[in-house]
């Protein structure tokens, strides 16, 4: 598949189109794509301050070859740059955790289920509306999934590019009604620079030699990135995770 531009950078303002015609069905991501995803999550610190935590990653999604990859880059104040790459090869049932510290590579690996988990708008999501985005009039579909269980009220809204089932943005709000007063968690996902196909496979899926030698243990940095990776596509895995 050619690598062509599937969507434009996230647009803040969009025009809602009246719902009249037939409703599209919740879709699963097109087989191969790569791009960038930013996750913003509100967090409460111990002293009660609310902060917003940003996570940015490049991702490659390859249903054809049952593989996913995530690249996290973090630059510290002293100029040190750490890169963590997570490569999941479902056919082999192996995930690699590759950390690059200015050319110094560490690798560890773990078993994962030998079954590729596709990313989909959940079956239970209800079509809400169509939208056009930006002045290029990109067509989008909006879905909503609402769920109430064990005192948790979850509202998830999906904005997807209509033609290829490419994600544009997701809002995920969880109200925990158990404590008094109730607690609210908000996570937003924005996707940018998404291209169809995967042009530079090596960048995402190359397994360095270090991985075939004795395996290093997971570093704290990698553990942290693994948690972020789990967060990264959570709204598209609601059917298979929960
Ligand atoms: C929304 O867009 C889809 C194509 O993405 C189209 O099939 C459907 O008819 C549209 N629905 C409405 C209500 O405009
Ligand atoms: C730079 O900061 C990071 C994170 O605080 C630390 O892990 C690393 O050792 C520091 N590097 C140098 C060269 O001081
Ligand atoms: C969230 O979900 C609840 C329960 O289904 C629903 O009543 C409510 O309207 C939803 N809120 C939003 C903002 O979609």
């Amino acid at each position: 598949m050619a690598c062509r531009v599937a969507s434009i950078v996230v647009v803040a303002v969009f025009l809602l189109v009246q719902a009249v015609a037939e409703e599209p069905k919740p879709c699963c991501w097109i087989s191969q794509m790569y791009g960038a995803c930013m996750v913003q999550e509100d967090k409460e610190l111990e002293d009660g301050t609310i902060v917003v935590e940003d996570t940015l990653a490049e991702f490659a999604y390859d249903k054809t070859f049952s593989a996913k990859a995530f690249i996290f880059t973090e630059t510290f104040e002293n100029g040190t740059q750490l890169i963590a790459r997570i490569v999941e090869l479902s056919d082999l049932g192996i995930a690699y955790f590759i950390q690059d510290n200015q050319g110094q590579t560490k690798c560890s690996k773990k078993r994962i289920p030998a079954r590729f988990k596709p990313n989909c708008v959940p079956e239970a999501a209800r079509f809400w509306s169509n939208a056009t985005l930006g002045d290029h009039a990109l067509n989008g579909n909006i879905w909503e999934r609402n769920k109430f269980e064990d005192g948790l009220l979850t509202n998830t809204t999906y904005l997807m590019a209509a033609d290829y089932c490419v994600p544009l943005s997701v809002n995920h709000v969880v109200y925990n009604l158990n404590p008094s007063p109730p607690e609210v968690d908000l996570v937003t996902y924005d996707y940018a620079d998404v291209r169809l196909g995967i042009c530079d496979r090596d960048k995402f899926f190359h397994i360095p030699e270090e991985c075939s030698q004795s395996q290093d243990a997971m570093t704290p940095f990698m553990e942290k990135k693994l948690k972020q990776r789990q967060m990264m596509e959570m709204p598209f895995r609601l059917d298979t995770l929960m």
Side-chain angles (χ1 to χ4, degrees):
M1 194 186 308
C3 292
R4 58 199 201 81
V5 180
S7 66
I8 310 160
V9 190
V10 177
V11 183
V13 180
F14 52 87
L15 217 131
L16 294 184
V17 175
Q18 280 295 347
V20 275
E22 73 180 82
E23 300 189 351
K25 294 263 178 297
C27 56
C28 291
W29 287 17
I30 192 165
S31 301
Q32 292 181 319
M33 69 169 105
Y34 69 100
C37 175
M38 180 156 91
V39 182
Q40 293 192 308
E41 191 188 355
D42 68 344
K43 277 260 162 72
E44 191 174 342
L45 302 182
E46 272 170 26
D47 66 359
T49 320
I50 307 282
V51 295
V52 175
E53 212 172 76
D54 284 351
T55 305
L56 184 69
E58 292 178 80
F59 70 92
Y61 176 85
D62 192 339
K63 185 163 176 278
T64 309
F65 289 100
S66 302
K68 291 179 184 178
F70 300 82
I71 304 174
F72 297 91
T73 306
E74 217 167 285
T75 309
F76 296 95
E77 277 172 22
N78 59 17
T80 303
Q81 196 177 58
L82 286 184
I83 299 172
R85 188 155 60 90
I86 301 178
V87 183
E88 297 167 1
L89 305 175
S90 296
D91 280 351
L92 301 177
I94 297 179
Y96 291 96
F97 303 86
I98 301 151
Q99 181 182 309
D100 190 36
N101 182 358
Q102 354 260 150
Q104 233 195 355
T105 304
K106 284 188 179 165
C107 181
S108 67
K109 63 179 171 185
K110 277 193 177 160
R111 293 239 133 243
I112 54 168
R115 192 170 60 87
F116 183 80
K117 305 229 173 67
N119 289 5
C120 304
V121 176
E123 287 287 326
R126 202 174 54 86
F127 176 69
W128 188 61
S129 168
N130 283 341
T132 59
L133 291 106
D135 61 352
H136 289 278
L138 173 72
N139 288 314
N141 302 142
I142 302 174
W143 275 277
E144 266 187 342
R145 175 188 180 272
N146 299 322
K147 191 167 182 180
F148 186 65
E149 201 176 66
D150 302 330
L152 292 182
L153 173 61
T154 312
N155 296 101
T156 316
T157 311
Y158 300 83
L159 172 61
M160 306 291 294
D163 289 345
Y164 297 107
C165 195
V166 165
L168 297 171
S169 71
V170 177
N171 270 290
H172 183 75
V173 189
V174 181
Y175 303 89
N176 185 349
L177 305 177
N178 295 315
S180 172
E183 286 167 5
V184 185
D185 279 315
L186 169 66
V187 194
T188 61
Y189 295 78
D190 289 309
Y191 296 84
D193 301 331
V194 175
R195 306 271 195 284
L196 303 191
I198 295 169
C199 292
D200 189 351
R201 294 198 71 83
D202 265 6
K203 170 179 169 176
F204 290 101
F205 296 116
H206 172 69
I207 306 298
E209 233 165 70
E210 281 83 353
C211 296
S212 60
Q213 298 158 9
S214 68
Q215 308 295 320
D216 292 310
M218 294 282 282
T219 64
F221 182 70
M222 283 195 261
E223 298 278 4
K224 180 177 157 201
K225 297 299 150 185
L226 178 60
K227 285 212 184 80
Q228 293 178 344
R229 177 267 169 274
Q230 270 146 6
M231 186 73 159
M232 208 89 215
E233 53 186 21
M234 174 268 292
F236 291 101
R237 298 275 310 285
L238 289 175
D239 284 338
T240 40
L241 284 179
M242 291 161 198

